[in-house]
Coordinates of all heavy atoms in Angstrom, one line a residue:
N284 N 45.9 108.2 90.5 CA 46.9 109.3 90.4 C 48.1 109.1 91.3 O 49.2 109.4 91.0 CB 46.2 110.6 90.8 CG 45.4 111.2 89.6 OD1 45.8 111.1 88.5 ND2 44.2 111.8 89.9
T285 N 47.8 108.5 92.5 CA 48.9 108.2 93.4 C 49.8 107.1 92.8 O 51.1 107.2 92.9 CB 48.4 107.7 94.8 OG1 47.5 108.7 95.3 CG2 49.5 107.3 95.7
L286 N 49.3 106.1 92.2 CA 50.1 105.1 91.5 C 50.9 105.7 90.4 O 52.1 105.3 90.2 CB 49.2 104.0 91.0 CG 48.4 103.1 92.0 CD1 47.5 102.1 91.3 CD2 49.3 102.4 93.0
V287 N 50.3 106.6 89.6 CA 51.1 107.2 88.5 C 52.2 108.0 89.1 O 53.3 108.1 88.6 CB 50.1 108.1 87.7 CG1 50.9 108.9 86.7 CG2 49.2 107.1 86.9
D288 N 52.0 108.7 90.2 CA 53.0 109.5 90.9 C 54.2 108.6 91.3 O 55.4 109.0 91.1 CB 52.5 110.2 92.1 CG 51.5 111.3 91.8 OD1 51.6 111.8 90.7 OD2 50.8 111.7 92.7
R289 N 53.9 107.4 91.7 CA 55.0 106.5 92.1 C 55.8 106.0 90.9 O 57.0 105.9 91.0 CB 54.4 105.3 92.9 CG 53.7 105.6 94.2 CD 53.0 104.4 94.8 NE 52.4 104.8 96.1 CZ 51.7 104.0 96.8 NH1 51.4 102.7 96.4 NH2 51.1 104.4 98.0
L290 N 55.1 105.8 89.8 CA 55.8 105.4 88.6 C 56.7 106.5 88.1 O 57.9 106.3 87.7 CB 54.8 105.1 87.5 CG 54.1 103.7 87.6 CD1 52.9 103.7 86.6 CD2 55.0 102.6 87.3
I291 N 56.2 107.8 88.2 CA 57.0 108.9 87.7 C 58.2 109.2 88.7 O 59.3 109.5 88.2 CB 56.1 110.1 87.6 CG1 55.1 109.9 86.4 CG2 56.9 111.4 87.3 CD1 54.1 111.0 86.2
D292 N 57.9 109.0 90.0 CA 59.0 109.1 90.9 C 60.2 108.1 90.6 O 61.4 108.5 90.7 CB 58.5 108.8 92.4 CG 57.7 110.0 92.9 OD1 57.8 111.1 92.3 OD2 57.0 109.8 93.9
A293 N 59.8 106.9 90.1 CA 60.8 105.9 89.8 C 61.5 106.2 88.5 O 62.6 105.9 88.2 CB 60.2 104.5 89.7
D294 N 60.8 106.9 87.6 CA 61.3 107.2 86.2 C 60.7 108.6 85.8 O 59.6 108.6 85.2 CB 61.0 106.1 85.3 CG 61.6 106.4 83.9 OD1 62.2 107.5 83.7 OD2 61.5 105.5 83.0
P295 N 61.4 109.7 86.0 CA 60.8 111.0 85.7 C 60.5 111.2 84.2 O 59.8 112.0 83.8 CB 61.9 112.0 86.2 CG 62.6 111.2 87.3 CD 62.6 109.8 86.8
Y296 N 61.2 110.4 83.3 CA 60.9 110.5 81.9 C 59.5 110.1 81.5 O 59.1 110.4 80.4 CB 61.9 109.6 81.1 CG 63.3 110.1 81.1 CD1 64.3 109.6 81.8 CD2 63.6 111.2 80.2 CE1 65.6 110.1 81.8 CE2 64.9 111.7 80.2 CZ 65.9 111.1 81.0 OH 67.2 111.6 80.9
L297 N 58.8 109.5 82.5 CA 57.4 109.1 82.2 C 56.4 110.3 82.3 O 55.2 110.2 82.0 CB 57.0 108.0 83.1 CG 57.7 106.6 82.9 CD1 57.3 105.7 84.1 CD2 57.2 106.0 81.6
T298 N 56.9 111.4 82.8 CA 56.0 112.5 83.1 C 55.2 112.9 81.9 O 54.0 113.2 82.0 CB 56.8 113.8 83.6 OG1 57.6 113.4 84.7 CG2 55.9 114.9 83.9
A299 N 55.8 112.9 80.7 CA 55.1 113.3 79.5 C 54.0 112.4 79.1 O 53.1 112.7 78.3 CB 56.1 113.4 78.3
H300 N 54.0 111.2 79.7 CA 53.0 110.1 79.3 C 52.0 109.9 80.5 O 51.4 108.8 80.5 CB 53.7 108.9 78.9 CG 54.7 109.0 77.8 ND1 54.2 109.1 76.5 CD2 56.0 109.2 77.7 CE1 55.3 109.3 75.7 NE2 56.4 109.3 76.4
R301 N 51.9 110.8 81.3 CA 51.0 110.7 82.5 C 49.5 110.3 82.1 O 48.9 109.4 82.6 CB 51.0 111.9 83.3 CG 50.2 111.8 84.6 CD 50.1 113.1 85.4 NE 49.4 112.9 86.7 CZ 50.0 112.6 87.8 NH1 51.3 112.4 87.8 NH2 49.3 112.3 88.9
P302 N 48.9 111.0 81.1 CA 47.6 110.6 80.7 C 47.5 109.2 80.2 O 46.5 108.5 80.5 CB 47.3 111.6 79.5 CG 48.2 112.8 79.8 CD 49.4 112.2 80.3
A303 N 48.5 108.7 79.5 CA 48.4 107.3 79.0 C 48.5 106.3 80.2 O 47.8 105.3 80.2 CB 49.6 107.1 78.0
M304 N 49.3 106.7 81.2 CA 49.4 105.8 82.3 C 48.2 105.8 83.2 O 47.8 104.7 83.7 CB 50.6 106.2 83.2 CG 52.0 105.9 82.5 SD 53.4 106.1 83.6 CE 53.3 107.9 83.8
I305 N 47.5 106.9 83.3 CA 46.2 107.0 84.0 C 45.2 106.1 83.3 O 44.5 105.4 83.9 CB 45.8 108.5 84.1 CG1 46.6 109.2 85.0 CG2 44.3 108.5 84.5 CD1 46.3 110.7 85.1
R306 N 45.2 106.2 82.0 CA 44.3 105.4 81.2 C 44.6 103.9 81.4 O 43.6 103.1 81.6 CB 44.4 105.7 79.7 CG 43.3 105.0 78.8 CD 43.6 105.2 77.3 NE 44.8 104.5 76.9 CZ 45.9 105.2 76.5 NH1 45.9 106.5 76.4 NH2 47.0 104.6 76.1
R307 N 45.8 103.5 81.4 CA 46.2 102.1 81.5 C 45.8 101.5 82.9 O 45.3 100.4 83.0 CB 47.7 101.9 81.2 CG 48.0 102.0 79.8 CD 49.5 101.7 79.5 NE 49.8 101.9 78.1 CZ 51.1 101.8 77.7 NH1 52.1 101.5 78.5 NH2 51.3 102.0 76.4
L308 N 46.1 102.3 83.9 CA 45.8 101.8 85.2 C 44.3 101.7 85.4 O 43.8 100.8 86.1 CB 46.5 102.7 86.3 CG 48.0 102.6 86.4 CD1 48.5 103.6 87.3 CD2 48.5 101.2 86.7
G309 N 43.6 102.7 84.8 CA 42.1 102.6 84.9 C 41.6 101.4 84.1 O 40.6 100.7 84.6
H310 N 42.3 101.0 83.0 CA 41.9 99.9 82.3 C 42.1 98.6 83.1 O 41.2 97.7 83.0 CB 42.7 99.8 81.0 CG 42.2 98.8 80.0 ND1 41.0 98.7 79.5 CD2 42.9 97.7 79.5 CE1 40.9 97.6 78.7 NE2 42.0 97.0 78.7
I311 N 43.1 98.5 83.8 CA 43.4 97.3 84.7 C 42.3 97.2 85.7 O 41.8 96.1 85.9 CB 44.8 97.4 85.3 CG1 45.9 97.3 84.3 CG2 44.9 96.3 86.4 CD1 47.3 97.7 84.9
Q312 N 41.9 98.3 86.3 CA 40.9 98.2 87.3 C 39.5 97.9 86.7 O 38.8 97.1 87.3 CB 40.7 99.6 88.1 CG 41.9 99.9 89.0 CD 41.7 101.1 89.8 OE1 40.6 101.7 89.9 NE2 42.7 101.5 90.6
R313 N 39.2 98.4 85.5 CA 38.0 98.1 84.9 C 38.0 96.6 84.4 O 36.9 95.9 84.5 CB 37.7 99.0 83.7 CG 37.4 100.4 84.1 CD 36.9 101.2 82.9 NE 38.0 101.4 81.9 CZ 38.9 102.3 81.9 NH1 38.9 103.2 82.9 NH2 39.9 102.4 81.0
M314 N 39.1 96.1 84.0 CA 39.2 94.7 83.6 C 38.9 93.8 84.8 O 38.2 92.8 84.7 CB 40.6 94.4 83.0 CG 40.8 92.9 82.6 SD 39.7 92.5 81.1 CE 40.7 93.2 79.8
R315 N 39.5 94.1 86.0 CA 39.3 93.4 87.2 C 37.8 93.3 87.5 O 37.2 92.3 87.8 CB 40.0 93.9 88.4 CG 39.9 93.1 89.7 CD 40.5 93.8 90.9 NE 41.9 93.9 90.8 CZ 42.6 95.0 90.5 NH1 41.9 96.2 90.3 NH2 43.9 95.0 90.4
E316 N 37.1 94.5 87.4 CA 35.7 94.6 87.7 C 34.9 93.8 86.7 O 33.9 93.2 87.0 CB 35.3 96.1 87.8 CG 35.9 96.8 88.9 CD 35.8 98.3 88.7 OE1 35.2 98.8 87.7 OE2 36.3 99.1 89.6
R317 N 35.3 93.9 85.4 CA 34.6 93.2 84.4 C 34.6 91.7 84.5 O 33.6 91.0 84.3 CB 35.2 93.6 83.0 CG 34.4 93.1 81.8 CD 35.1 93.5 80.5 NE 34.5 92.9 79.3 CZ 35.1 92.9 78.2 NH1 36.4 93.4 78.0 NH2 34.5 92.3 77.1
V318 N 35.8 91.1 84.8 CA 35.9 89.7 84.9 C 35.3 89.1 86.1 O 34.8 88.0 86.2 CB 37.4 89.2 84.7 CG1 37.9 89.6 83.4 CG2 38.3 89.7 85.8
T319 N 35.3 89.9 87.2 CA 34.8 89.4 88.5 C 33.3 89.8 88.6 O 32.6 89.2 89.4 CB 35.5 90.0 89.7 OG1 35.4 91.4 89.7 CG2 37.0 89.6 89.7
E320 N 32.8 90.7 87.8 CA 31.4 91.2 87.8 C 31.0 91.7 89.2 O 29.8 91.7 89.5 CB 30.5 90.1 87.3 CG 30.8 89.7 85.8 CD 29.8 88.7 85.3 OE1 29.2 87.9 86.1 OE2 29.7 88.6 84.1
G321 N 32.0 92.0 90.0 CA 31.6 92.4 91.4 C 31.0 91.3 92.3 O 30.5 91.6 93.4
R322 N 31.0 90.1 91.8 CA 30.4 89.0 92.5 C 31.3 88.1 93.2 O 31.0 87.4 94.2 CB 29.5 88.2 91.6 CG 28.3 89.0 91.0 CD 27.4 88.1 90.2 NE 28.0 87.6 89.0 CZ 28.4 86.4 88.8 NH1 28.3 85.5 89.8 NH2 29.0 86.0 87.7
V323 N 32.5 87.9 92.7 CA 33.5 87.0 93.2 C 34.8 87.7 93.3 O 35.1 88.7 92.7 CB 33.7 85.7 92.3 CG1 32.4 85.0 92.2 CG2 34.1 86.1 90.9
G324 N 35.7 87.2 94.2 CA 37.0 87.7 94.3 C 37.9 87.2 93.2 O 37.6 86.2 92.5
L325 N 39.0 87.9 93.0 CA 39.9 87.5 91.9 C 40.4 86.1 92.0 O 40.6 85.4 91.1 CB 41.0 88.5 91.7 CG 41.8 88.5 90.4 CD1 40.9 88.8 89.2 CD2 42.9 89.5 90.5
L326 N 40.7 85.7 93.3 CA 41.3 84.4 93.5 C 40.3 83.3 93.3 O 40.6 82.2 92.8 CB 41.8 84.3 94.9 CG 43.0 85.2 95.3 CD1 43.6 84.8 96.7 CD2 44.1 85.1 94.2
D327 N 39.0 83.6 93.6 CA 37.9 82.6 93.3 C 37.7 82.5 91.8 O 37.5 81.4 91.3 CB 36.6 83.0 94.0 CG 36.7 82.9 95.5 OD1 37.5 82.0 96.0 OD2 36.0 83.6 96.2
L328 N 37.8 83.6 91.1 CA 37.6 83.6 89.7 C 38.7 82.7 89.0 O 38.4 82.0 88.1 CB 37.8 85.0 89.1 CG 37.7 85.1 87.6 CD1 36.3 85.0 87.1 CD2 38.4 86.3 87.1
A329 N 39.9 82.8 89.6 CA 41.0 82.0 89.1 C 41.0 80.5 89.5 O 42.0 79.9 89.7 CB 42.4 82.6 89.5

């Protein structure tokens, strides 16, 4: 929610798309957890 607030502060026209941005940022976090499986860091994975 804090990250979305920062995006909207930079561009208020994004306010109407707040739910979509929350979903996308959550998807990025889940992708990170999925590829690292909680066992390795992202740099080690790469």
Side-chain angles (χ1 to χ4, degrees):
N284 281 321
T285 300
L286 296 176
V287 172
D288 288 340
R289 293 175 182 175
L290 285 167
I291 292 174
D292 286 343
D294 184 355
Y296 286 105
L297 292 171
T298 302
H300 301 284
R301 185 182 185 92
M304 291 189 293
I305 290 175
R306 184 189 67 248
R307 285 183 184 176
L308 291 175
H310 186 62
I311 293 170
Q312 291 190 6
R313 288 190 297 275
M314 182 68 80
R315 182 188 294 105
E316 294 164 0
R317 184 182 174 197
V318 298
T319 62
E320 297 180 338
R322 297 184 295 106
V323 297
L325 194 61
L326 296 189
D327 290 333
L328 177 81

